[in-house]
Amino acid sequence: MLRDIFGQAMEAMRHNGRRTAITIVGMAWGIATVVLLLAYGAGFGRAFETIFAQFGTNIIGVFPGRTSEQAGGSKAGVQVRLTLDDVEKIQETIPGIVHVAAQVSKTVTVQSDLRSENWNVDGDQPEIQGILNKQIGTGRLITAADVAERAHVTVLGSEAKTKLFSGLDPAGQRVRINGISFEVVGVLKAKMQEGDDDINRTVIVPFSTMSEIKDTKYLDGMWMSYHGDHKQIEKAIRAMLAEQHGYRASDRNAVYLANLMEQLAQFRIVSIGLQILLLFIGALTLGIAGIGLMNIMLVSVQQRTREIGVEKALGARRRHILLQFLAEALVISGVGGFGGIVLAYIVSYSVGSITFYSAIATGAEAADIRLLISPQSVLAASVILIVVGTVSGMVPAIQASKLNPIEALRYE
């Protein structure tokens, strides 16, 4: 029976080929719009994920501040000073912490035979390179042996290498940092860089050797990687440092925490909101195509009134007539939906990437928006298509099924 009904639907579509083709194009355009809007939303979210991924996501930075609340006998405004004891305490006492590393920084003169620049120099413990996802381009990174031996070695950022050595290979070359000679052992891969940001002008030396440039008793910051709930980890860090340094754990100004996962979570909320909005807009577009389908089916019912009367006179029941016209609407929707999905894939591959972060940052092409068509977006669009096709076909089908056979046979 269903085979006969769909056969009749295909025959009716062939009989009104031009009208059917126009309707199919409208449905295809609607479903392609839904899929492409969802793909854009997914690409937008992926772009932000890529931006954060260059630093890592499950990481927290801790930087000293000043107390803003009285605690015990201490007044507000006391400078909090972080030390290596804090690094060890965090590593040993807070569950979920994977690595903790200290950092001391100072802006000094960095010189090669060709150039002289005033740059920020970081004295890093080796673990910090993994925590902050610092990837080596050529040579090697700072090692634990370099720290143990207080080696005079340095790793340069990609821009620092270019400015100091132009196109020359810096491996084995020497630079003077604050007047002290260091051997260049590696160059980092370039990261995405906004404007005059100095992210690629970094100069790294072993933490122990940094004491020849600056007193390393008090830290400028520390970075840590972790697994687990970022909110619970942050709360535990604040509580431990508050106890260690004698201030209130509620004092947010005593230490500053850069929690990248919290920032990423906020961007994810924005991304989800954008995808919901785009889905709504796409559904409206498909709904307009559905209205076109409904109008075409209403015209078809009117033109085939006498045919419906004959079918009813021969014993066809209301449900048979309803299924006949509903099947026609669903076949048109299905063909249009398949064509729309194919069109969406063609457009996504043709467009490639849409300029986004690379408009304000160099080397950021990986963080541009790409139209990402996922099985979930195709499924969501298909569900909307089925609902729209069913609703659009149901109204004309109900109207056709309710026709009085005697009046239908009299229809001219």
Side-chain angles (χ1 to χ4, degrees):
M1 176 178 151
L2 288 177
R3 183 176 180 180
D4 293 336
I5 289 173
F6 278 98
Q8 289 178 335
M10 294 299 295
E11 181 62 32
M13 290 168 59
R14 283 194 294 269
H15 180 70
N16 299 289
R18 182 180 300 177
R19 186 176 65 194
T20 300
I22 294 173
T23 308
I24 288 174
V25 169
M27 297 302 292
W29 182 263
I31 195 73
T33 301
V34 175
V35 174
L36 289 173
L37 286 174
L38 290 176
Y40 182 88
F44 181 82
R46 175 190 168 280
F48 275 112
E49 297 277 353
T50 303
I51 294 170
F52 278 90
Q54 71 169 334
F55 302 104
T57 51
N58 282 33
I59 62 174
I60 293 177
V62 182
F63 309 96
R66 290 183 180 274
T67 59
S68 58
E69 301 176 11
Q70 289 186 346
S74 301
K75 61 182 181 180
V78 176
Q79 175 72 51
V80 176
R81 297 184 180 276
L82 302 176
T83 66
L84 288 175
D85 290 339
D86 296 316
V87 174
E88 295 175 3
K89 190 82 170 178
I90 289 174
Q91 183 74 74
E92 293 171 358
T93 62
I94 298 181
I97 295 294
V98 180
H99 295 295
V100 188
Q103 185 176 71
V104 175
S105 303
K106 186 177 181 180
T107 300
V108 297
T109 301
V110 182
Q111 298 172 295
S112 67
D113 293 337
L114 302 175
R115 296 283 298 274
S116 176
E117 302 282 352
N118 286 325
W119 284 336
N120 192 63
V121 176
D122 295 330
D124 288 351
Q125 292 183 319
E127 295 81 3
I128 207 168
Q129 298 164 129
I131 295 171
L132 294 180
N133 195 27
K134 294 183 178 181
Q135 299 180 12
I136 197 69
T138 59
R140 64 175 179 84
L141 295 169
I142 301 295
T143 65
D146 293 330
V147 175
E149 298 169 5
R150 299 173 63 91
H152 284 204
V153 295
T154 183
V155 174
L156 304 178
S158 59
E159 186 179 345
K161 173 260 179 187
T162 301
K163 286 185 176 293
L164 291 175
F165 295 97
S166 297
L168 300 177
D169 182 5
Q173 300 293 323
R174 304 197 74 84
V175 295
R176 299 188 69 81
I177 301 175
N178 204 33
I180 303 171
S181 180
F182 284 78
E183 180 187 355
V184 178
V185 295
V187 177
L188 297 175
K189 287 184 178 179
K191 289 183 178 290
M192 303 174 195
Q193 179 175 318
E194 294 183 28
D196 198 38
D197 189 359
D198 64 354
I199 189 171
N200 289 318
R201 291 197 296 271
T202 184
V203 178
I204 305 171
V205 301
F207 182 84
S208 56
T209 315
M210 186 69 181
S211 62
E212 300 179 26
I213 301 172
K214 179 183 177 180
D215 186 358
T216 58
K217 179 180 180 180
Y218 298 116
L219 309 179
D220 290 313
M222 50 187 171
W223 289 94
M224 60 203 73
S225 58
Y226 65 91
H227 56 75
D229 185 349
H230 66 275
K231 292 183 178 179
Q232 293 298 323
I233 296 290
E234 179 177 336
K235 183 178 179 181
I237 293 171
R238 289 190 180 278
M240 191 281 292
L241 291 175
E243 180 182 358
Q244 189 86 342
H245 294 274
Y247 63 84
R248 296 179 186 273
S250 59
D251 191 345
R252 311 285 291 188
N253 294 322
V255 292
Y256 299 100
L257 267 68
N259 192 336
L260 267 68
M261 183 56 74
E262 182 176 351
Q263 298 175 33
L264 180 58
Q266 294 171 352
F267 280 112
R268 283 174 175 168
I269 292 173
V270 173
S271 177
I272 292 172
L274 176 64
Q275 291 190 60
I276 293 173
L277 175 62
L278 293 175
L279 178 61
F280 178 71
I281 295 172
L284 289 179
T285 304
L286 189 55
I288 294 172
I291 293 173
L293 172 61
M294 185 185 298
N295 289 333
I296 292 298
M297 293 304 300
L298 287 171
V299 172
S300 179
V301 170
Q302 185 178 17
Q303 290 179 341
R304 295 160 63 187
T305 300
R306 190 174 182 83
E307 176 189 332
I308 295 168
V310 172
E311 290 180 357
K312 285 197 168 186
L314 293 174
R317 296 185 178 182
R318 286 184 58 183
R319 68 172 182 271
H320 298 147
I321 304 298
L322 187 146
L323 285 174
Q324 177 184 339
F325 283 88
L326 183 59
E328 185 176 338
L330 289 176
V331 170
I332 292 174
S333 299
V335 174
F338 177 78
I341 292 172
V342 172
L343 175 62
Y345 273 102
I346 293 173
V347 171
S348 67
Y349 283 116
S350 301
V351 169
S353 62
I354 301 171
T355 301
F356 178 55
Y357 194 53
S358 64
I360 59 174
T362 57
E365 288 74 17
D368 282 340
I369 296 175
R370 286 171 172 77
L371 300 179
L372 302 176
I373 300 179
S374 65
Q376 292 81 2
S377 63
V378 173
L379 178 61
S382 299
V383 170
I384 297 174
L385 175 68
I386 292 171
V387 172
V388 170
T390 302
V391 173
S392 299
M394 186 63 72
V395 173
I398 291 174
Q399 179 177 323
S401 67
K402 287 183 176 180
L403 286 176
N404 186 295
I406 296 175
E407 293 181 359
L409 286 170
R410 290 175 179 173
Y411 184 82
E412 296 295 336

